[in-house]
Amino acid sequence: MFTRVVDMTTDPRDEAHLRRCVELAREAMADGDGPFGSVLAGPDGEVLAEDRNRETSTSDPTAHPEFALAQWAARHLPPETRAAATVYTSGEHCPMCAAAHAWVGLGRIVYAASSAQLAGWRAGWGLPAAPVAVLPITAIAPGIVTAGPVPPFDEEMRQLHERAAG
């Protein structure tokens, strides 16, 4: 079975960054992409980079914001800063993004909605399953501390995904 390293505690700074992730998800949806957004914060909480889903607008199904932030961190941050950084995201990392996060050596992940939640919502709306297995981050990247899902952001994301499925 999978070991989950979960720290369910969040603080006001975490919530502010999650709020921005939801805003980025809305921006992605307004551009015709799936509603996903992510923020990379340094050890002091300062935003270092942010991105949103760009799968449709780039015709690249790997254009996930978490993947883009891992690539950005690899190019711009020393290993010790990456390890102390936090990735905030509107949805739990898919296996591809979790692997990139681990390979780059990023730290904690805080997500608004879980992959299991998203899979359940999509099934309830009669939509097809994702093309990859729904796995917790720590099944791909053991030892990464995660926090999520985080209410009320998970409910906001459910509403966005429902509108996108519309």
Side-chain angles (χ1 to χ4, degrees):
M1 204 71 210
F2 302 115
T3 302
R4 287 193 142 207
V5 180
V6 180
D7 169 15
M8 293 307 296
T9 60
T10 56
D11 60 30
R13 181 171 31 185
D14 294 333
E15 293 168 10
H17 290 312
L18 284 176
R19 168 70 43 224
R20 179 62 182 146
C21 292
V22 173
E23 291 169 5
L24 288 164
R26 280 192 182 94
E27 289 177 21
M29 197 169 88
D31 257 3
D33 284 297
F36 295 94
S38 301
V39 170
L40 174 64
D44 60 358
E46 177 185 352
V47 174
L48 301 174
E50 60 181 36
D51 205 351
R52 61 174 185 75
N53 193 353
R54 298 176 191 281
E55 290 179 67
T56 303
S57 59
T58 64
S59 298
D60 178 357
T62 68
H64 298 188
E66 304 88 354
F67 194 73
L69 291 180
Q71 291 176 316
W72 183 92
R75 288 189 306 269
H76 295 96
L77 301 175
E80 60 277 2
T81 303
R82 293 194 305 255
T86 300
V87 173
Y88 297 91
T89 190
S90 61
E92 184 175 15
H93 291 31
C94 72
M96 173 187 72
C97 294
H101 186 106
W103 281 115
V104 170
L106 288 166
R108 180 174 176 242
I109 300 170
V110 181
Y111 55 89
S114 72
S115 297
Q117 285 176 306
L118 179 57
W121 300 332
R122 289 180 56 82
W125 301 324
L127 299 174
V132 297
V134 176
L135 298 171
I137 292 165
T138 55
I140 307 300
I144 291 180
V145 175
T146 64
V150 180
F153 303 103
D154 59 342
E155 176 57 22
E156 290 182 53
M157 290 310 305
R158 185 197 63 75
Q159 292 171 13
L160 282 177
H161 282 284
E162 187 171 24
R163 280 203 318 259

